[in-house]
Amino acid sequence: MIRQIMFSRMTAQTARFSFVKCGSRNKRKMIVTQCIRSISSETSSDGHFFITTPIFYVNAEPHIGHLYSALLADAACRFQQLHGLPVNSLLFSTGTDEHGLKIEQAAVANGSDPLQFCNKVSHKFRYLFDLANISYTQYVRTVEERHKCAVKHFFSKLMDRGHIYLGDYSGWYCVSDETFLTEAQVHEITLPSSEKRLVSAESGHPVEWNTENNYMFKLSQFQSDLQYWLKDDKRVQPKRFHQQLQRWVNEDLQDLSVSRPSYRVSWGIPVPGDTLHTIYVWVDALINYLTAAGYPNTELWPPDVQVLGKDILRFHGVYWPALLIGIGLEPPRSLLCHSHWTVEGEKMSKSLGNVVCPQDCIKRYSADGLRYLLLRGGTPHSDSNWSEAHAVHILNVELADALGNLLSRCTAPSLNPNQLMPPLDQQYLKKMPLAGQKLVEQLVELPCIIEKHYHDFNFYHGIEVAMAAVRQANAFVQEEKPWELKNLPDSNHLDSVLRVALETVRMVGIALQPVVPTLASQLLDSLGVPVHHRAWVNLKDGFSNAQYDNLSSSFNLGPRKKLFTKIKL
């Protein structure tokens, strides 16, 4: 299960008790360490799965990068369900981040007040996720009253525990990223006009020197806690981002500014007891995960997996766990950090006009077509490239030709007049051609290999394994020539060839359910596979079962339908 890469669950009651029973800083650190050690050694599961996406900033409309984050979480949820997790034991949260100076500015530019602007753009994100069949269970908006209550409760708790103080803060401030930066996070660039400018080293956005009176969080006191949290090398995946986070945490951590003067940023949640200050938009946004879990109730906390883009790793991997420890809650069990999408080799940018609209892609490729392209082409460890020509080629070659034609060919009335999943003559296995032997070897190994890739969130690797089996099945059919076998008096040979090929389709259909749920359902319907025989364990009903007993009987196919229509460039 995906839980193998995560913190094992510790009850919320234990977490609260462990963190509350501390006075001095050293004693608190000792207890945090003891808690984390006990968590790491605990392997039992409580039968729940909690996964989050970032909440998406509504200063611009959704693009394929936003959808990719949601798809990683959605595929992980569907994979959990294939392993028997009931829907009511699943918490999958997403939503929109709607406060801050950038939103005020975007609203003014659009000639509307901030709330109207937020309502409009947030609806577009929700509409996209529904269109793409994202199976979220919670959609959190930071303008909701339940979220405001959670934020105020969280901030008050930090204040009550002495982790917040009021002080002057000076530093480089990035308006686009809405964050203060250290000297090490800023560098100088030369513009085409030869003008020199200081920008954020991470985002490339311009910075300006700013001094203001803010509430500060004592981040520097949590360095050893964060270092211990990151000792588990599975805490952050892929590995390169875990190493990046360790480097940041090992640097001298500066206290974090967690408010802004309300005269400068009015569109936000006021600091409890001080309306002259607005809570920092990133603190506000991060608490959405607690809002989804029903905070101040912490029964469902912490998340098993938090999916995020590499540009917000510092917020989720440094500030967020420290803030949680500060109020006595366990940090997330794991972070899945993914890279970005480029377009024809260039960074997506509104100024370049190359932002890929996912709604347009769904109209052209279908929802499952776009899901397939992003999960097959997306590599979490490095940036992925979107190309229109490549997208069309992949869908046509893999879904329409390789998988679609294999299904169509083996269920054609001319070869399969009785419309059956025919029986396999086990004697045939002893005299199979080389292509068939290789295929059976792939099918025997397929469930375990794909399961491992899905566990590690490398869905693209899992898809590659599935499609390699499909290609091998096509080579096997081409070698056996069933269109000639149908003329022989003995039907056992033809039936066996069709059964091996269709068994490939069945197994691939089950394995691809987290990736293309609608298309996989149609495929399994065409094969006549009952709904209650589509779980992950059913992958082992065929060649993964060494006896092959389940392959010796036949059953009726379902209605024939074209699986995927070719797309024209």
Side-chain angles (χ1 to χ4, degrees), residues 442-463:
Q442 286 179 278
L443 296 179
V444 169
E445 297 174 351
L446 182 145
C448 290
I449 295 176
I450 295 183
E451 184 172 37
K452 172 64 168 60
H453 290 316
Y454 284 6
H455 278 158
D456 294 340
F457 294 94
N458 291 323
F459 291 98
Y460 70 103
H461 275 325
I463 295 168

Side-chain angles (χ1 to χ4, degrees), residues 389-406:
H390 184 66
V392 172
H393 174 76
I394 287 295
L395 292 178
N396 286 345
V397 169
E398 297 189 359
L399 294 188
D401 289 345
L403 184 57
N405 285 349
L406 180 63

Side-chain angles (χ1 to χ4, degrees), residues 493-543:
H493 192 168
L494 173 61
D495 285 348
S496 295
V497 169
L498 294 180
R499 183 56 182 264
V500 171
L502 289 174
E503 181 62 15
T504 306
V505 176
R506 182 192 72 86
M507 294 179 70
V508 167
I510 290 174
L512 289 183
Q513 287 177 102
V515 179
V516 283
T518 301
L519 185 144
S521 177
Q522 292 171 349
L523 183 154
L524 294 170
D525 286 346
S526 295
L527 294 180
V529 178
V531 173
H532 59 280
H533 284 169
R534 300 180 184 184
W536 199 263
V537 68
N538 296 122
L539 278 174
K540 299 182 180 180
D541 288 346
F543 285 106

Side-chain angles (χ1 to χ4, degrees), residues 9 12 46 48 50 91 292-294 297-304 333:
R9 183 170 291 274
D46 66 355
H48 286 83
F50 181 10
L91 179 54
N297 185 313
T298 57
E299 183 180 350
L300 297 176
W301 194 260
D304 294 291
R333 293 200 178 90

Side-chain angles (χ1 to χ4, degrees), residues 8 22 30 54 63 70 73 108 138 148 154 166 230 266 290 325 337 350 372 437 442 468 479 481 494 505 508 525 560:
S8 300
C22 56
M30 178 186 71
H63 56 65
V108 170
Q138 287 281 336
K148 293 176 183 178
F154 187 98
L166 189 61
L230 289 171
S266 60
L290 282 164
I325 293 170
C337 184
K350 286 188 290 184
Y372 186 82
Q437 294 173 28
Q442 286 179 278
E479 184 172 349
K481 298 181 174 58
L494 173 61
V505 176
V508 167
D525 286 346
R560 292 187 79 231

Side-chain angles (χ1 to χ4, degrees), residues 50 52-55 286-293 301 306 316 320:
F50 181 10
T52 72
T53 74
I55 53 172
L286 288 165
I287 295 168
N288 92 87
Y289 306 123
L290 282 164
T291 302
W301 194 260
Q306 297 211 260
H316 286 79
W320 181 224

